[in-house]
Amino acid sequence: MDTLWDNIEKLSAICRTAGAHHPDEELKALQVSKVAKEADEAIHTLHGLKGLTTCGDDHTWSEVQNDLVGSVIAALLAMHYIDPTGARATFDEIIHRRT
């Protein structure tokens, strides 16, 4: 069974192929900005769940969770873009330090 990081590496390869026409530094910046976009989608879904939108959105907590996972995936992809060989170790070190 693939681990989370195995899947991130596979997604990264697919995304890098799709973005091959962009310089590496631009790909990194675009992926970091994708984290904010995905988080914004989770916020929008939450607002719809709580009836705080004017467009009549009707959402569920499951949809909020789906958008949050999108944020996590985008963040892990951004870490992998920044340092493909060291992202796992960096993540482990940071989560250890923060917990």
Side-chain angles (χ1 to χ4, degrees):
M1 186 163 111
D2 291 340
T3 68
L4 173 65
W5 281 103
D6 292 333
N7 288 321
I8 292 300
E9 288 176 7
K10 289 176 186 176
L11 285 171
S12 180
I14 292 167
C15 293
R16 281 185 176 277
T17 299
H21 57 286
H22 293 288
D24 189 57
E25 288 299 309
E26 186 174 345
L27 282 175
K28 290 176 188 177
L30 289 169
Q31 189 58 43
V32 170
S33 69
K34 178 81 170 159
V35 177
K37 180 191 170 295
E38 293 293 333
D40 184 57
E41 287 181 18
I43 292 166
H44 177 79
T45 303
L46 176 62
H47 286 182
L49 172 73
K50 294 297 183 178
L52 300 173
T53 62
T54 57
C55 52
D57 289 345
D58 186 26
H59 294 287
T60 64
W61 281 112
S62 179
E63 291 171 301
V64 174
Q65 288 177 311
N66 182 67
D67 290 339
L68 289 171
V69 170
S71 299
V72 170
I73 291 168
L76 294 177
L77 278 170
M79 289 186 68
H80 191 268
Y81 271 42
I82 292 166
D83 184 6
T85 60
R88 291 180 192 207
T90 299
F91 179 86
D92 289 344
E93 187 274 322
I94 291 169
I95 200 147
H96 175 75
R97 186 180 66 229
R98 289 184 170 218
T99 57

